[in-house]
Amino acid sequence: MRDEAPSFLDAGAPVRDASAVAPVAAVAPVAAPAAPVAAPEEELPTIPTDAAAAPRGSGLDDPTSSAWPAVVRWDDRMERDWSTFVARLGRAVESRRCNRLDRCLRDPEANSLWDAQTDARLRLDDIDCADLPYILRAYYSYKRRLPFGFVSNVRSAQQTDTRYALGLRPSRWSSWRDYRTPRAVFHKVVELVHSGMYRTTAEVQDGDFYPVAVRPGALRPGSIYYDPNGHVLVVAEVRDDGVVHLIDGHPDGGLTWKRFGPRYAIGTARVGGGFKNFRPQRIDGRYVVRARDSELADIDSRSQWDPSAWVANGQPVSFHDWVRAALSVPGAPRDPESDYREMVASLCRDIVDRVDAVDLARTAGLHLRPHPNHLPWNIYGTNGDWETWSTPSRDAALKVVLRDLRDTAAAQPPGSPLRAAFARAWSEELAKPGCQFRYINSAGAPVGITVDDVLDRLFAMSFDPYHCPEIRWGAPEGSPERAACVDDPTRRAWFRAEQRLRNRVDRVYGVATPITFGPETPPDVDPRPVLGVR
């Protein structure tokens, strides 16, 4: 602890065990019968586009038995349709047509399954990253009249937060038929699901997911990436050149568009990290049965965790480079300068997303509340107001993106044409409207900020939601920009005390993160000196 910090600063209090949830009726899986029969073409339900055309008993608050009959089976055709549904939502998030799930689902341009009777009244609050895949799958199953079950509890022999435990196994299963209405199903999924549901090894066949082969057509929109640091994303696009884009859900309910890369941890077989698909489900009597490994043509229980498999053009490569190479369609063009431009554009998207996140905390009035007398036990993985309004994970990801931009440029010799092309791409992308930002200050006035400002202040920008917007954006003390800040000695002391945490680049979960948990000086992640643009 720094000398100037008040004596009552505390590294934190432990988080609540995420497995402590209300009991529900268990629906246990049973042995799988023969592979499901493909649904005939005419079984695909028609989604009515207006309330008058909607069938009776299809509303969110009607009895589940009539509103959600499981008369269709999961097959290859339904999985392709599922991918189409997710990809269309993803395009709406990418274009910023919508930035919250219920807004996307209420938009017929974003939602291929939209109908006026259901979706005009749809409200989904507090959908975080772990909820997002389940809610999307439940919603799709409801609209397409498919069975839907979900793991509603997991357990481990470890006495720790189950979101970060080892040896997790499903201990309770729920079915859509356990709940009175479709709306109740969605609410229960949000209440019960957490990221621990994704943290099972490949040997667990009674969970909701299986490790998918990293190849075109198998890894597709609707697939999931589990970062074992406790983060879950939904694949929304797999391009012919192997680039993967994902939808990211946040505790404040926002949706953002991300490009797959080094910001996401790889994980190991022990923690079940990597790309996954939902196991197809069917009904056997009163049970929801999940497909077994022997029924899955695109399962791969080894390659994502075996570095010897990470080979491209006959050479060992990193996991992220292997994923791109494995997903590339032969002959698809790939241009390093275009890639770099996309990386810069992704950086700008991250900054825009941070503008939104900080403003949500301002609107909620966190900066006007007294600062708590301790930080969470782990600042990256917690719950409550800190989880909803703080940004340590976003800020760490921003630093990783910058580090990747720097390292990509540094891999080219000084004076090389490609490094010059990267510098040109940097300057030209930063001049575009998508790289111009304004945040709202404590007085409600807009303040312009540039990418150069963000890089200059990177390790002074506070992740603490109890700091004013000016401090969240690193405005220098005593500057005119900071004059509107609602400040006091306690907040300033916390700001100084949190410096080493701000100096961290990589997130760490499941361990204590006291205020000393970080280097004394920030690392160099600035790409500008390498590019020669400063």
Side-chain angles (χ1 to χ4, degrees):
M1 187 181 304
R2 294 173 178 266
D3 292 340
E4 64 268 35
S7 60
F8 54 75
L9 293 188
D10 183 7
V15 296
R16 178 179 62 86
D17 186 343
S19 69
V21 295
V24 298
V27 178
V30 298
V37 178
E41 197 78 0
E42 61 270 22
E43 283 193 27
L44 187 63
T46 299
I47 303 299
T49 58
D50 58 76
R56 285 181 171 272
S58 64
L60 288 168
D61 298 307
D62 290 312
T64 302
S65 57
S66 60
W68 193 339
V71 295
V72 180
R73 292 191 179 192
W74 282 104
D75 60 8
D76 288 343
R77 181 164 177 253
M78 300 310 302
E79 293 289 357
R80 291 194 300 271
D81 190 59
W82 155 250
S83 292
T84 300
F85 163 69
V86 174
R88 185 164 167 177
L89 281 174
R91 289 192 294 272
V93 174
E94 179 190 17
S95 67
R96 299 190 184 278
R97 183 181 178 91
C98 53
N99 63 356
R100 299 180 72 84
L101 181 57
D102 51 3
R103 294 175 189 169
C104 292
L105 294 177
R106 292 199 300 267
D107 183 349
E109 294 299 318
N111 180 7
S112 61
L113 303 182
W114 179 87
D115 77 82
Q117 181 186 35
T118 300
D119 299 309
R121 299 183 295 115
L122 182 63
R123 295 291 183 274
L124 295 168
D125 297 322
D126 302 325
I127 305 298
D128 64 16
C129 68
D131 301 326
L132 181 62
Y134 276 101
I135 286 293
L136 287 175
R137 192 75 165 185
Y139 177 89
Y140 180 85
S141 299
Y142 162 57
K143 286 300 187 77
R144 288 302 193 201
R145 304 173 193 168
L146 291 153
F148 175 73
F150 65 101
V151 172
S152 50
N153 199 17
V154 288
R155 293 200 180 279
S156 166
Q158 293 182 307
Q159 299 299 312
T160 186
D161 188 331
T162 50
R163 294 174 295 178
Y164 312 112
L166 296 176
L168 285 170
R169 301 192 68 89
S171 59
R172 188 168 63 210
W173 299 260
S174 293
S175 158
W176 89 105
R177 296 187 296 195
D178 294 338
Y179 306 107
R180 189 175 62 84
T181 65
R183 193 188 301 275
V185 177
F186 300 151
H187 288 173
K188 209 64 179 176
V189 167
V190 173
E191 177 186 341
L192 298 179
V193 163
H194 57 80
S195 60
M197 276 64 178
Y198 303 83
R199 199 178 177 84
T200 52
T201 63
E203 292 74 25
V204 175
Q205 297 190 51
D206 54 356
D208 290 323
F209 312 101
Y210 65 92
V212 63
V214 179
R215 65 169 185 258
L219 199 163
R220 56 188 184 266
S223 297
I224 297 150
Y225 189 77
Y226 173 58
D227 176 334
N229 284 331
H231 203 55
V232 187
L233 302 100
V234 178
V235 174
E237 181 184 49
V238 181
R239 292 194 329 213
D240 287 350
D241 64 355
V243 170
V244 177
H245 286 109
L246 312 104
I247 305 173
D248 193 359
H250 300 279
D252 60 20
L255 299 180
T256 56
W257 182 256
K258 302 297 183 184
R259 176 178 164 132
F260 183 70
R263 73 167 75 192
Y264 302 114
I266 304 169
T268 64
R270 294 181 69 211
V271 296
F275 290 101
K276 304 169 182 283
N277 279 353
F278 276 97
R279 289 182 181 269
Q281 299 177 351
R282 59 181 174 269
I283 300 299
D284 183 10
R286 66 186 184 90
Y287 296 116
V288 173
V289 180
R290 292 152 177 81
R292 310 297 286 179
D293 289 355
S294 59
E295 302 173 64
L296 302 169
D298 57 1
I299 189 172
D300 183 345
S301 300
R302 181 189 70 88
S303 297
Q304 293 191 62
W305 306 307
D306 182 1
S308 69
W310 305 344
V311 176
N313 298 319
Q315 298 295 320
V317 294
S318 70
F319 174 77
H320 300 92
D321 287 342
W322 168 72
V323 167
R324 181 166 184 184
L327 293 174
S328 296
V329 174
R334 182 170 175 180
D335 176 30
E337 182 180 346
S338 295
D339 281 347
Y340 204 80
R341 287 183 182 277
E342 287 192 6
M343 292 167 67
V344 177
S346 179
L347 167 69
C348 292
R349 290 189 69 96
D350 288 345
I351 297 173
V352 171
D353 294 338
R354 190 182 193 275
V355 169
D356 294 340
V358 171
D359 197 54
L360 285 171
R362 179 193 66 84
T363 303
L366 268 290
H367 65 299
L368 302 176
R369 301 182 193 175
H371 197 292
N373 60 8
H374 60 75
L375 297 183
W377 180 73
N378 180 287
I379 61 170
Y380 305 103
T382 183
N383 48 37
D385 286 343
W386 186 274
E387 180 184 37
T388 301
W389 309 116
S390 70
T391 57
S393 294
R394 287 181 188 263
D395 294 358
L398 186 65
K399 294 163 189 171
V400 171
V401 170
L402 285 163
R403 183 176 64 187
D404 193 28
L405 283 162
R406 182 187 187 282
D407 293 348
T408 299
Q412 305 302 319
S416 68
L418 194 51
R419 188 183 285 200
F422 290 165
R424 181 173 59 251
W426 173 273
S427 298
E428 291 177 357
E429 291 300 316
L430 262 57
K432 293 181 178 179
C435 289
Q436 314 303 313
F437 321 106
R438 294 192 308 173
Y439 74 86
I440 305 301
N441 71 3
S442 300
V447 177
I449 189 169
T450 67
V451 173
D452 284 328
D453 291 330
V454 170
L455 266 66
D456 291 342
R457 305 172 176 188
L458 186 64
F459 294 95
M461 297 193 310
S462 175
F463 53 74
D464 189 326
Y466 296 94
H467 286 144
C468 64
E470 293 82 359
I471 294 178
R472 298 294 300 275
W473 287 104
E477 189 167 1
S479 66
E481 181 183 345
R482 191 156 160 176
C485 178
V486 179
D487 204 1
D488 59 49
T490 299
R491 294 178 204 276
R492 289 195 293 272
W494 273 110
F495 176 76
R496 291 190 294 269
E498 292 165 356
Q499 182 61 62
R500 289 180 63 171
L501 289 172
R502 290 195 299 276
N503 289 346
R504 285 198 62 87
V505 172
D506 297 300
R507 298 164 291 164
V508 178
Y509 292 79
V511 300
T513 56
I515 56 177
T516 56
F517 192 72
E520 286 281 357
T521 58
D524 181 9
V525 298
D526 191 342
R528 294 174 299 179
V530 178
L531 295 170
V533 295
R534 286 294 299 268

